[in-house]
Amino acid sequence: MSGASAAIPRPGRTKAFLRLVMIEHSVFALPFAYIASLTAMFQLDRDVHWGRLLLVTVCMVGLRTFAMAVNRIIDREIDARNPRTANRELVTGAVSVRHAWTGALIALVVFLGAAALLNPLCLALAPVAVVPMVVYPYGKRFTNFPQAILGLAQAMGPVGGWLAVTGSWSWDAVILGLAVGIWIGGFDLIYACQDVETDREIGVMSVPARFGIPAAIHAARVCHALTTALLAWYALATDAGAFFWLGLLIVAAAFLYEHTIVRPHDLSRVNRAFFSVNGFIGIALFVCALLDLVVRGLTV
C-alpha cells in the first residue's frame, strides 16, 4: 500500500471518525448560524441565497469537525483515565491518532476553502475562529473556567453566518453569538458535573471540580437566564415578529424543564438535558425564526 493511499481513511475508519467527532451534534450550533444568515439575507434583499447558505453549512460543519477531532486528540490521555470516556475511539484504538489528525486537517481545509468562497473578510477572519477551538481543550489544564473558552468558540457561528452574507460586521450578530456562547457554556457546566470526582483525582480543572456541583448548576441557570435575555435583545434589535417571540417562549420553557430534571443531587437525567433538550432548543428557535422571516417577506 502506498503512503498516499494509506493516508486516506477506509470506510470503516471514516465511520469511526464520524463517531469520534459526534457529527450529529452539529445540530446545537448550526441552527443559530442559519438564523443569523437568513436574517442578514432578509435585511439585504429579502431573498434566500442558497449557495451562501450551503457554504455556511460547510464552514460550520468543517470547523466543528476540526474542533472536535483536535479536542479528542489532545484529551485522549485524560479520556483514558475517566471511566465515562474510556470507550472513546482514540482510547480503544478504533481510530488512530494519525487518522484523527488526517480527518481534522481535511475538515480544516474544507472550512478554509468554504470561507474563501464566501468573501475576503470571512477568509481573513477564519484563523481567528480556529484559535479558540484549539485552545479550549487545553483550557481545563490552566483555568477553572474552560467553559468560557468554549462559549467564545461557539459564539463565532452566528457572527460568521452574518459575515458570510454581508461581508461586513454586525452587532446584531454579536448579540446572537453571545446568546449561543453563553447557552452552550451553560449546558457544558451541567455536563461537566458528571466528572467531578475523576477531574479532581487526575487534576482536570472546571467549575464543578473547583466550586462543587451546586455552584455549577446555579451558574448554568444564570447562563440560561442571560441567554434568554440576549435572545430577547436580538429580537428587539432585528425587529423580529410574533413567531420569533413564540420561539423564545418555547426556549424559555425548555430551559425551565432542563433545570427541573437536573438538580445538584440528581444528575441521572443529564444526558436527556444535554442531548434531547438542547437539540430541541436549537431546532425549535430556528423553525420559529424562519417562519417569522417568511411571514415578514423573506422569499424562500
Side-chain angles (χ1 to χ4, degrees):
M1 181 181 291
S2 68
S5 61
I8 301 175
R10 295 182 303 210
R13 288 173 177 168
T14 301
K15 188 175 180 180
F17 177 78
L18 293 178
R19 288 199 307 269
L20 174 78
V21 299
M22 304 174 76
I23 193 69
E24 67 277 10
H25 288 182
S26 299
V27 71
F28 290 148
L30 194 54
F32 292 91
Y34 286 157
I35 291 172
S37 298
L38 290 170
T39 304
M41 292 175 189
F42 174 78
Q43 293 186 3
L44 182 66
D45 57 14
R46 301 200 172 195
D47 284 330
V48 175
H49 299 257
W50 292 103
R52 288 189 178 275
L53 208 58
L54 175 61
L55 288 173
V56 168
T57 305
V58 173
C59 279
M60 290 291 293
V61 175
L63 183 57
R64 186 198 168 277
T65 299
F66 167 78
M68 281 294 295
V70 170
N71 192 333
R72 294 290 190 255
I73 292 167
I74 294 171
D75 278 353
R76 64 189 185 278
E77 293 182 2
I78 291 176
D79 288 343
R81 300 173 65 184
N82 185 334
R84 185 180 64 81
T85 58
N87 63 345
R88 285 180 175 169
E89 288 74 12
L90 279 171
V91 179
T92 63
V95 176
S96 68
V97 175
R98 176 186 177 188
H99 284 99
W101 272 120
T102 300
L105 293 176
I106 290 173
L108 180 61
V109 170
V110 168
F111 164 65
L112 293 174
L117 290 173
L118 282 165
N119 56 61
L121 183 58
C122 283
L123 179 59
L125 294 178
V128 177
V130 172
V131 170
M133 306 298 179
V134 177
V135 173
Y136 167 64
Y138 289 110
K140 65 194 72 170
R141 293 162 171 84
F142 64 81
T143 177
N144 291 312
F145 306 97
Q147 284 79 20
I149 304 173
L150 176 63
L152 175 63
Q154 298 296 331
M156 295 188 181
V159 176
W162 199 294
L163 289 174
V165 174
T166 66
S168 59
W169 187 259
S170 166
W171 288 108
D172 293 346
V174 172
I175 296 170
L176 184 59
L178 287 174
V180 173
I182 293 172
W183 166 54
I184 291 179
F187 74 66
D188 197 60
L189 283 172
I190 297 173
Y191 199 66
C193 289
Q194 300 176 100
D195 300 324
V196 167
E197 297 304 323
T198 302
D199 286 351
R200 288 171 176 169
E201 180 181 339
I202 64 180
V204 172
M205 304 173 73
S206 71
V207 170
R210 173 64 179 82
F211 301 102
I213 292 175
I217 297 295
H218 290 312
R221 290 172 181 169
V222 171
C223 285
H224 291 159
L226 286 173
T227 297
T228 305
L230 285 166
L231 289 174
W233 187 6
Y234 175 80
L236 293 171
T238 58
D239 296 319
F243 277 109
F244 189 95
W245 287 102
L246 173 63
L248 184 53
L249 287 175
I250 294 172
V251 169
F255 281 147
L256 288 174
Y257 173 71
E258 181 175 14
H259 289 285
T260 299
I261 65 174
V262 177
R263 296 180 178 276
H265 303 293
D266 181 9
L267 300 177
S268 61
R269 290 176 288 184
V270 164
N271 283 336
R272 184 193 300 180
F274 185 81
F275 299 113
S276 301
V277 178
N278 286 301
F280 168 78
I281 284 172
I283 294 172
L285 188 63
F286 167 69
V287 170
C288 289
L290 177 59
L291 284 173
D292 183 64
L293 290 169
V294 170
V295 167
R296 292 163 60 200
L298 180 68
T299 302
V300 179

